[in-house]
Amino acid sequence: MKRRNFLQLSTLAGVSLSLPMAGLLNACESHQAHSLEYKELVSNILESWCEGMLKQQIHNPNNLELHGALDCPSCEHIHGRCMDAVYPFLYMADKTGDKKYVEGAKLVMLWAENNVSQESGAWTVIRNPKSWKGITVFGAIALAEALHYHGHVLDKETHDAWMKRLEKAGQYIYDSFTIDFTNINYPGTAVYGLDLIGDVVKRDDFKAKSKILAEQVKVYFTPNEGLLFGECKKSSSKLSEKGLHGVDLGYNVEETLNSLVMYALKHKDEELLQILTKSLNSHLEFMMPDGGWDNSWGNRMYKWTYWGSRTCDGSQLAFGMMAHINPAFGTAAVKNTELLQRCTSDGLIHGGPHYVSAGILPCIHHTFTHAKPLAALLDHWDHLPEINKESSLPRAMADGVKHFKDLDVYLFARGDWRGTVSAYDAEYHYKNDYRQASGGALGVLYHNKVGLLCAASMAKYEMVEKNNQQVQPNKDICLTPRVEVFKDNIWYTNLYDLPATVTTKDENGTIELLADVKLKNEARNVVEETASAFGIKYKCSADKTEISVSTKQDITEKTAFVFPIVSPNNEIVTKISDTEITIQKPEGLVIIKANAPIKMKAIEGKRTFNMVPGVEALPLEVFLENNSKSLELSITVS
């Protein structure tokens, strides 16, 4: 099959949303001179990941349950989606001429056919034929792109067999997917998937359904900020008590928006492109200056790792393809790719910045999914806009407070400080509480000089998707800063106070966010016979961030403000006094002071580690004194 591109220059030039025609044409014609550094980065990472995956490929013809699969260093089962690697493998085969990549591609497809392929055309997420089949759309896109761009490297018998298999998968998606049958990432991705498959196997009915889904998805964007919503179980797709939709940043930027962008550009769908431009700009507000994604508040943050979401594809494609509309989109693509590189070791992405320092083995799922958008970028390189990191990210330039009405989430910035306070009450599943940062909690605290200082975790680590999450090592200690009390061995905290409210002001150079919260247990019952109503004030000026906690009620039980500080175990911690500690980071000294003794929760070793978002931390805590009913804590960097 002769290689060709779905997205032509005329398609990009036809998008006239914010740049004049000449600007778009010049961007596309001159990008190679300015973007070669990024192309080299993408190429090198993709090659490294493909080599890492080949090292994990199982060669055991006598055991067809394993032969051809990608062995996972951390999980006890084979990930059914490992056949997604067919696309990056065939890309590398075409680029290098090395037959080992063709063999790798054939083997993952062979394993899939022997173990997760269904008569309906679906593939399953694990070997159990009753397991989830929605993931078929992701494997089908990978196979379609592999065949479309690189099918000519295959022998005719293999090529023809894969074409037939692709059509069966397309038929399953065509028959099974509706716009609201489950979380929006599936039908949203099928918009591009059915259109792509329809082109490859020449099925106009697939393309027709894709167009229907593309029209239907346009109403799945929130009214104020245009955030893609629908990341919740269909049975619980109602609005929250605050009237908010279910939104997850990780799934949006790393999966669904990619596919919608690809479809909209290809078909010059101006209406969808306008919607997507607004949505991408809103999502971009949550990228940290170092390329990390702040999904502390997302209702599927149980799969949050600082660079994105564990089983999605990566955000490079949507932001890279749309960099002609906003150059900062290109910056996002580059910065996040650089972060992925920093989280890569021995050819595999690790699920957070501190996996290696904590001695946590990586899940291979991250690598075979995130390799796909890099291959897609390279396949479209001649028609990409300029991609570099010369334009600043919104959060790098931010100053003041920004309230996202559709989330009840606040971003604040002053000087080098960046933070997130969440009162978002939408839930992924209303019967089971998988608590992300809420209740007026601090989801992220970041300083431009020293980087990430606080990052929320689940209130309690839950294996919401046992096939797609790693087991939490050692003791689970929540990393979300919070007020807490244990009464009769029951945990009460503001994290479970979904009706919590936040008010803000910005005066005389100081930002204040005041959260009015109550301490509740997982069943949402307020603690009794001790203080339950608290105010948590976050104050941010150019030189420091301060947190104060106060109550007007009598404290009869030991009540603490827990303040976990992100810190790998090689950083030196010094106790200056009972009320002051310092943490020496490579780029500066973090100083934490309180008006009461600073203690640390009992941990194993030097640090606690949490899978969400994949960091080590010092779980500091300061207890409120009964006589003062308040505490003060400050953080400075020198």
Side-chain angles (χ1 to χ4, degrees):
M1 178 181 285
K2 185 178 180 180
R3 186 188 309 184
R4 62 191 187 278
N5 284 75
F6 282 133
L7 299 176
Q8 300 300 321
L9 179 60
S10 59
T11 301
L12 291 175
V15 180
S16 54
L17 299 176
S18 63
L19 293 181
M21 180 73 73
L24 295 179
L25 291 172
N26 290 337
C28 294
E29 290 172 356
S30 66
H31 83 278
Q32 289 179 312
H34 300 89
S35 305
L36 289 179
E37 183 178 350
Y38 183 53
K39 184 179 183 181
E40 183 178 3
L41 173 66
V42 170
S43 299
N44 290 341
I45 292 176
L46 183 59
E47 181 177 7
S48 170
W49 290 349
C50 286
E51 288 296 313
M53 289 188 289
L54 286 179
K55 288 179 182 178
Q56 295 299 124
Q57 192 160 42
I58 300 170
H59 296 266
N60 186 355
N62 295 323
N63 186 345
L64 296 182
E65 293 183 4
L66 298 176
H67 184 53
L70 302 182
D71 190 26
C72 185
S74 67
C75 302
E76 295 182 354
H77 62 275
I78 301 295
H79 296 287
R81 283 183 60 189
C82 65
M83 62 154 285
D84 285 18
V86 65
Y87 179 30
F89 280 163
L90 276 201
Y91 172 88
M92 289 300 299
D94 201 0
K95 178 188 176 228
T96 67
D98 195 326
K99 296 296 184 183
K100 70 182 180 182
Y101 295 113
V102 177
E103 180 65 15
K106 286 183 176 182
L107 282 176
V108 290
M109 288 298 297
L110 176 65
W111 179 85
E113 286 307 293
N114 286 332
N115 291 276
V116 293
S117 182
Q118 306 299 309
E119 186 61 33
S120 64
W123 290 290
T124 52
V125 71
I126 56 173
R127 290 186 64 248
N128 184 345
K130 295 182 179 180
S131 61
W132 178 239
K133 300 176 178 63
I135 51 91
T136 301
V137 67
F138 310 127
I141 290 174
L143 181 56
E145 289 179 320
L147 287 167
H148 180 76
Y149 296 112
H150 312 291
H152 53 272
V153 306
L154 297 169
D155 59 87
K156 186 177 186 305
E157 181 181 0
T158 300
H159 180 273
D160 291 349
W162 287 7
M163 287 286 284
K164 291 178 181 178
R165 183 63 186 86
L166 176 62
E167 185 169 7
K168 284 187 66 176
Q171 188 67 54
Y172 172 78
I173 299 165
Y174 177 86
D175 292 338
S176 305
F177 280 40
T178 62
I179 196 64
D180 65 347
F181 82 107
T182 188
N183 302 337
I184 195 63
N185 62 303
Y186 289 97
T189 304
V191 169
Y192 174 60
L194 281 171
D195 184 71
L196 170 69
I197 299 164
D199 274 333
V200 174
V201 303
K202 297 180 171 42
R203 287 284 299 269
D204 288 341
D205 54 339
F206 291 177
K207 294 173 65 64
K209 181 160 186 179
S210 165
K211 187 174 182 179
I212 292 171
L213 292 174
E215 286 300 313
Q216 293 173 334
V217 81
K218 293 175 183 178
V219 302
Y220 279 78
F221 292 84
T222 60
N224 297 295
E225 289 90 33
L227 296 160
L228 180 68
F229 69 83
E231 285 305 327
C232 50
K233 293 299 185 185
K234 184 179 179 182
S235 61
S236 60
S237 58
K238 63 180 181 180
L239 296 176
S240 72
E241 292 297 323
K242 293 182 178 179
L244 306 178
H245 289 284
V247 177
D248 185 75
L249 179 88
Y251 267 87
N252 289 355
V253 300
E254 290 217 317
E255 197 158 82
T256 318
L257 291 174
N258 287 333
S259 293
L260 295 178
V261 163
M262 295 293 280
Y263 174 90
L265 286 174
K266 178 183 173 184
H267 290 281
K268 303 180 186 179
D269 187 331
E270 291 279 350
E271 182 185 12
L272 184 55
L273 283 166
Q274 293 281 2
I275 293 170
L276 290 170
T277 298
K278 178 179 180 179
S279 190
L280 288 172
N281 276 308
S282 290
H283 284 85
L284 188 59
E285 299 275 355
F286 293 94
M287 176 169 274
M288 304 307 296
D290 62 357
W293 282 112
D294 173 10
N295 196 31
S296 57
W297 49 269
N299 68 338
R300 298 187 75 181
M301 66 89 78
Y302 56 85
K303 292 168 85 171
W304 180 36
T305 182
Y306 188 57
W307 41 252
S309 189
R310 294 176 180 275
T311 57
C312 295
D313 289 356
S315 55
Q316 286 74 21
L317 199 54
F319 287 92
M321 297 296 287
M322 296 283 275
H324 59 293
I325 292 175
N326 180 356
F329 292 166
T331 301
V334 177
K335 287 273 194 177
N336 188 254
T337 307
E338 291 174 339
L339 178 58
L340 286 171
Q341 184 184 46
R342 295 195 295 273
C343 292
T344 295
S345 180
D346 294 329
L348 298 178
I349 309 172
H350 288 54
H354 298 161
Y355 263 59
V356 174
S357 62
I360 308 298
L361 294 173
C363 175
I364 201 168
H365 204 305
H366 312 334
T367 303
F368 64 68
T369 50
H370 283 76
K372 294 183 297 177
L374 299 193
L377 275 180
L378 295 171
D379 274 333
H380 288 94
W381 195 262
D382 290 342
H383 301 296
L384 282 176
E386 182 175 350
I387 301 176
N388 56 47
K389 55 180 179 180
E390 294 179 5
S391 298
S392 296
L393 296 170
R395 213 157 183 180
M397 301 183 296
D399 182 74
V401 182
K402 183 163 187 174
H403 180 217
F404 281 75
K405 296 179 182 177
D406 296 328
L407 304 172
D408 205 10
V409 168
Y410 298 77
L411 304 186
F412 67 87
R414 182 61 35 92
D416 286 322
W417 295 98
R418 303 291 182 269
T420 304
V421 174
S422 172
Y424 186 41
D425 71 332
E427 299 175 83
Y428 179 59
H429 197 298
Y430 284 79
K431 292 182 179 179
N432 300 299
D433 192 357
Y434 307 127
R435 180 70 3 242
Q436 70 267 39
S438 188
L442 186 68
V444 160
L445 184 64
Y446 182 98
H447 190 277
N448 286 331
K449 184 177 181 180
V450 296
L452 189 64
L453 289 171
C454 292
S457 68
M458 301 176 72
K460 293 194 305 182
Y461 187 72
E462 302 273 2
M463 296 287 282
V464 184
E465 299 177 24
K466 64 179 181 180
N467 298 317
N468 293 326
Q469 292 177 253
Q470 292 177 247
V471 176
Q472 169 67 30
N474 301 323
K475 183 181 179 181
D476 173 31
I477 298 177
C478 175
L479 299 190
T480 313
R482 62 197 180 274
V483 183
E484 69 177 19
V485 64
F486 289 86
K487 189 171 188 300
D488 300 326
N489 294 319
I490 298 175
W491 186 38
Y492 295 85
T493 171
N494 61 292
L495 302 185
Y496 291 119
D497 182 28
L498 300 192
T501 60
V502 177
T503 56
T504 70
K505 65 179 180 179
D506 186 354
E507 298 174 350
N508 302 319
T510 299
I511 295 167
E512 290 188 7
L513 300 95
L514 177 61
D516 184 5
V517 307
K518 291 182 171 58
L519 305 191
K520 299 179 180 180
N521 61 16
E522 191 173 0
R524 314 289 166 79
N525 298 319
V526 178
V527 67
E528 296 178 346
E529 299 175 351
T530 188
S532 62
F534 287 82
I536 308 175
K537 183 183 290 186
Y538 308 96
K539 292 176 62 177
C540 181
S541 59
D543 59 345
K544 63 182 174 180
T545 291
E546 299 172 281
I547 302 172
S548 61
V549 179
S550 61
T551 182
K552 296 178 181 179
Q553 300 173 333
D554 290 334
I555 299 173
T556 61
E557 301 283 343
K558 291 182 64 176
T559 302
F561 179 69
V562 183
F563 189 62
I565 291 287
V566 173
S567 171
N569 62 60
N570 58 353
E571 293 179 349
I572 296 175
V573 180
T574 303
K575 180 179 178 180
I576 304 300
S577 69
D578 285 346
T579 59
E580 180 179 354
I581 69 166
T582 63
I583 304 170
Q584 183 64 61
K585 291 182 173 288
E587 302 83 4
L589 185 70
V590 178
I591 304 163
I592 302 169
K593 296 181 181 179
N595 65 346
I598 301 173
K599 301 180 180 180
M600 190 164 72
K601 287 182 174 290
I603 59 174
E604 299 176 19
K606 296 181 179 180
R607 300 291 191 274
T608 186
F609 176 87
N610 201 295
M611 284 291 172
V612 180
V615 297
E616 293 185 279
L618 292 162
L620 306 178
E621 58 183 354
V622 182
F623 286 88
L624 284 93
E625 301 293 341
N626 288 343
N627 55 355
S628 66
K629 297 183 182 179
S630 67
L631 65 82
E632 306 285 338
L633 184 145
S634 69
I635 311 100
T636 57
V637 174
S638 64

